[in-house]
Amino acid sequence: MMRFVIGLIILSCLSLSVLSDADDRDALIYKVDIFLPPKEGRRETKDILRIRKTLKQLSGIRVLFSFKELGNPHVILILHVEKACTWSQMTRFLSRRGYEFSTKCLYHISDFARELGVNNTDDLWATSFDSELMVIDSVILPVKGLSTLEYNQMMKWILEKAITIVKSGQQMTCFRTLASYPVELFYIGPVSQSTVEKYDRYIHGPRHFLNEVTRIENLDDYAGVCQRD
C-alpha cells in the first residue's frame, strides 16, 4: 500500500493567518484536519456526526470533500471559503467543542498543471467519490540538488503521468499546498488491487518521493457502527 501513489504529485504551504480577499481563489481553499483527543465522557461517533451536521449549516463555506480516517478519530475536510469573513464560523465551532485542528491553504491541481504547460481540463478530475475504499496520499518531492528549472521539469513529468492514469479511467483528484518548497500534493481516490498495479508502472520516476498514505471513507457514509457481512 505504501507504494500506492508514490509516483504522482507535489507543493507546500501557507498559514491560515494569510487569508486574503474573496477574489483571491488561491487563498480560499483549505485542507482542514480535525482530531478528537481522548476526553472523559466524549462520544466519538456523536462528535463526528455533529461535525458532519454542522458542515451543512455553515454559510459561505462550501464542502468540496469530507472524509473520516479509518480506525482513527480524524476528520479530513477540503473546503472552499467563499468569503474570508465566513471562516470564523468554522474556527468558533471547532474551538468551542475542544477539537484539535490544523489547516493548509490549497490550490487545485488543474491550475497547477496549466501553469507548467501540461494540458488538462477541470472536468478531468473527480468532484465526488462513490467508493467507500479510498486513500488520501500526501506526496512530497525533496528539492535538494535541483535547480528551479529541473524541479519544474520533474513536476511536469509527474503531472503528465497522473493525467495519463486519469485518462485511462482511474478516478482521482489532487490539490497542492501553496507557497513554499519542497512541493506537497494531496492525491485523493479509490483504491483496489488493480489501481495499485496501475500506479506501480509509474513509480520509477527521476527522483525518490516521500509519501504518507491514509485510508479514508466518505464522511457522509460514516455511521459509527460495524457493518456485518
Side-chain angles (χ1 to χ4, degrees), residues 44-45 48-49 52 68 217-225:
E44 176 185 310
T45 298
I48 292 174
L49 295 178
R52 188 174 72 184
K68 157 74 171 59
E217 62 180 323
N218 280 313
L219 185 61
D220 283 342
D221 296 332
Y222 176 76
V225 296

Side-chain angles (χ1 to χ4, degrees), residues 8 18 33 52 60 90 93 101 137 139 143 149 152 160-161 164 169-171 198 217-218 225:
L8 285 187
V18 295
D33 290 275
R52 188 174 72 184
M90 189 71 182
F93 165 70
F101 64 97
D137 191 2
V139 181
V143 68
L149 177 60
N152 287 341
E160 288 172 343
K161 295 301 181 183
T164 297
Q170 173 60 40
Q171 192 181 32
K198 186 182 297 184
E217 62 180 323
N218 280 313
V225 296

Side-chain angles (χ1 to χ4, degrees), residues 18-25 27-28 82-84:
V18 295
L19 262 175
S20 60
D21 63 38
D23 292 328
D24 185 357
R25 60 184 172 82
L28 296 176
E82 295 174 0
K83 294 183 179 180

Side-chain angles (χ1 to χ4, degrees), residues 28 57-62 80-84 86-87 89:
L28 296 176
Q57 298 172 341
L58 297 175
S59 60
I61 297 177
R62 183 159 56 95
H80 180 267
V81 181
E82 295 174 0
K83 294 183 179 180
T86 63
W87 181 250
Q89 299 173 83

